[in-house]
Amino acid sequence: LEKVEKKHLDREILRLAMIAELDAISLYEQLAAATDNKNIKKVLLDVAKEEKTHAGEFQTLLLKEDREQAEELEKGKEEVEEII
């Protein structure tokens, strides 16, 4: 982050936070799939769901900070809808 221009620092902080949340979601869901213990599975999946909320919070902030990101996200949605 020290090489990031000051004007883009907040955007990069939010992107890194999103990456951390997505990694956590992936980890917890993989661990849940690996266990046969219903209680552990239930808690892991609940925590993964909370991480999805966190990812959404960071994405919401990022889209407020980076209008280009918001516009490109919409374009991506439109392209997928055309394809499917």
Side-chain angles (χ1 to χ4, degrees):
L1 285 175
E2 58 227 21
K3 294 183 180 182
V4 174
E5 291 181 47
K6 181 71 174 165
K7 66 181 180 179
H8 298 301
L9 184 60
D10 287 341
R11 296 176 188 178
E12 294 308 313
I13 288 169
L14 292 168
R15 287 187 177 105
L16 287 171
M18 288 175 66
I19 290 167
E21 296 298 340
L22 292 172
D23 283 344
I25 293 163
S26 181
L27 173 64
Y28 296 141
E29 288 184 348
Q30 288 179 53
L31 293 172
T35 186
D36 292 327
N37 183 305
K38 291 180 182 181
N39 290 329
I40 294 172
K41 183 183 296 281
K42 186 175 180 179
V43 170
L44 285 167
L45 291 175
D46 182 64
V47 173
K49 186 176 178 183
E50 291 174 17
E51 303 302 344
K52 290 176 182 179
T53 300
H54 299 161
E57 291 170 332
F58 292 133
Q59 181 179 12
T60 298
L61 287 170
L62 176 60
L63 297 178
K64 289 180 181 297
E65 293 291 322
D66 187 343
R67 292 304 313 153
E68 181 180 65
Q69 180 80 51
E71 291 166 9
E72 293 302 319
L73 186 63
E74 277 305 310
K75 286 182 189 176
K77 287 180 187 179
E78 290 169 10
E79 288 181 18
V80 168
E81 290 303 318
E82 287 176 16
I83 293 169
I84 61 172

